[in-house]
Amino acid sequence: MSKLVYADHAATTPLSPKARDAMKPYFSLRFGNPSSLYAFGQEARTDLEQARAVIARCIGAQPGEVLFTSGGTEGDNWALKGAAELRKSRGKHIITTAIEHHAVLHTAQFLEKQGFEVTYLPVDQLGRVDPEQVKAAIRPDTILISVMAANNEIGTIEPIAAIGAIAKEAGVLFHVDAVQAVGHMPVDVKEWNCDLLTFSAHKFYGPRGIGGLYMRRGVRLPPLIHGGGQEKGLRSGTENVAGAGGRAAALQEAVGEMAAEAQRLIALRDKLLDGLSRLSCTKVTGDRENRLPGTASLVFEGVEGEALLLHLDARGIRASSGSACSSASLDPSHVLLAIGLPHEVAHGSLRLSLGRETTEADVDYLLEQVPEVVNYLREMSPVWDAKAQKPVWYD
Ligand SMILES: *Cc1c(COP(=O)(O)O)cnc(C)c1O
């Protein structure tokens, strides 16, 4: 029996037992509708608002500024389309970056088809956005800036506070996709000066299918869903009380243990990166300093990412190459291309994202298995020059 190692926490995290326990009552006795006027419904309303308050506290917001969504994708869609609709009479220019999640990028592309103009800022080879470039891209008709807090593929943490200060000074709405950040690193909407911020519970050990959008007081996006008037009339539909409770419990737990857990994960992650980068023609992707605690990402030249994943799976290792959403396609990741990797190199990417249940023994197993698979695939590969120990494209 081979060992099982889940190393894909950036794709989703296992549900925390605390979050599961917090949800349980709502699947049996506590099933009231928060909109019902009798006491049983009002208990559900109270629970919902308590969950909202917990979430708000964890990101430095007021409870009234947190709206429930079905997750990160919905939050990103709402933020971009809503801001575009809200501000379209002022201008039609949007600034974002080349390394955003597809939830932002594909929404931006949709808006381009609606007549908006989008600037996709480049990043440096570590995946960092330069605040000065953001500043230089702002025009009189710029209505929105959207930059992710931390990248889901390479783990690079962006200078969000500096960009927020620039956006504020220019009077441009600022959205942050903080799906990878919330629950993993300190997030403070006031410090970041953001108007909108997206997060998702299943990335911090909460349930899948629930997330939130922070909407700064004074910024009121158009309704996303019309109906019975829930969520201040902005997102109608009977609320997911169980999900809200699970999400709040998960975030409270994650924030409570954040400092210690980040320290633990950074040590494991660095051990992994140091060990794997000793392989020939192998490079760490992303910023070694400003990096999500659990995210290790590399490229192995002369190796196909898909083959790597399948062989690792056979050895009980669940990992990812590029983002989960694009792993069904054969195009190399837009993030790896944006940091300047050639196509053939970007194809050999691996993301190992560690989390709460990852142990030192797991990392040792990864350090043993990944090089074995990489060497095996290279031996088989027509593009690997075994004698020279490098890919043929160096000749
Ligand atoms: C996972 C992720 C999303 C999408 O969130 P869902 O809750 O899965 O819809 C958006 N942005 C980033 C950066 C992510 O990592």
Side-chain angles (χ1 to χ4, degrees), residues 1-2 31 87 109 123 161 192 204 207 234 244 250 277 301 305 309 326 328 335-336:
M1 235 337 249
S2 75
F31 61 85
R87 295 280 164 97
Q109 286 160 12
V123 293
W192 284 0
F204 53 75
L234 301 182
S277 56
E301 295 193 46
L309 291 192
S326 61
V335 176
L336 299 180

Side-chain angles (χ1 to χ4, degrees), residues 33-305:
N33 184 327
S35 299
S36 302
L37 290 181
Y38 41 77
F40 184 56
Q42 288 309 298
E43 282 171 21
R45 161 75 44 208
T46 305
D47 293 351
L48 188 72
E49 295 314 322
Q50 262 172 13
R52 201 189 305 277
V54 168
I55 300 277
R57 202 172 337 113
C58 289
I59 60 170
Q62 297 299 313
E65 297 175 312
V66 172
L67 294 152
F68 295 139
T69 66
S70 68
T73 303
E74 183 183 317
D76 286 343
N77 269 261
W78 194 4
L80 267 74
K81 292 177 196 166
E85 178 65 28
L86 183 72
R87 295 280 164 97
K88 68 182 179 200
S89 61
R90 296 197 197 174
K92 292 199 149 190
H93 180 237
I94 294 167
I95 298 169
T96 187
T97 82
I99 61 162
E100 298 298 308
H101 189 275
H102 283 135
V104 166
L105 284 183
H106 289 168
T107 305
Q109 286 160 12
F110 166 81
L111 288 170
E112 282 184 286
K113 291 202 189 94
Q114 310 294 307
F116 290 86
E117 197 185 325
V118 182
T119 298
Y120 299 92
L121 291 175
V123 293
D124 68 12
Q125 56 184 4
L126 301 181
R128 292 176 306 195
V129 178
D130 179 358
E132 286 308 311
Q133 286 196 13
V134 176
K135 193 172 188 173
I138 296 175
R139 317 189 311 208
D141 61 340
T142 304
I143 51 171
L144 175 70
I145 296 168
S146 181
V147 180
M148 70 197 326
N151 184 268
N152 47 303
E153 291 187 38
I154 57 175
T156 300
I157 294 171
E158 301 298 344
I160 294 299
I163 298 169
I166 289 165
K168 187 178 181 187
E169 200 192 319
V172 177
L173 282 179
F174 181 38
H175 168 245
V176 178
D177 175 343
V179 175
Q180 289 290 333
V182 171
H184 301 280
M185 55 180 264
V187 170
D188 186 321
V189 293
K190 298 286 177 303
E191 214 171 274
W192 284 0
N193 266 311
C194 57
D195 301 294
L196 302 159
L197 178 138
T198 301
F199 58 96
S200 179
H202 75 99
K203 301 287 175 81
F204 53 75
Y205 308 92
R208 271 149 292 274
I210 187 155
L213 181 65
Y214 159 80
M215 215 180 270
R216 186 173 61 73
R217 198 150 57 126
V219 176
R220 196 180 167 88
L221 297 187
L224 178 71
I225 303 176
H226 299 90
Q230 289 90 344
E231 299 297 289
K232 298 179 166 178
L234 301 182
R235 186 182 186 270
S236 288
T238 301
E239 300 91 339
N240 179 354
V241 184
R247 185 185 71 161
L251 187 55
Q252 198 164 28
E253 185 182 13
V255 168
E257 66 168 37
M258 187 187 288
E261 178 64 359
Q263 205 178 5
R264 190 185 76 87
L265 286 176
I266 286 171
L268 293 178
R269 176 202 75 192
D270 286 345
K271 180 176 178 181
L272 192 56
L273 286 176
D274 291 341
L276 293 179
S277 56
R278 274 192 216 111
L279 284 164
S280 64
C281 298
T282 295
K283 199 168 146 249
V284 173
T285 53
D287 193 339
R288 289 269 339 220
E289 296 300 316
N290 300 304
R291 189 177 189 92
L292 285 170
T295 303
S297 57
L298 306 103
V299 282
F300 305 98
E301 295 193 46
V303 168
E304 263 296 319

Side-chain angles (χ1 to χ4, degrees), residues 336-349:
L336 299 180
L337 297 181
I339 60 172
L341 295 181
H343 274 244
E344 63 273 20
V345 175
H347 270 300
S349 70

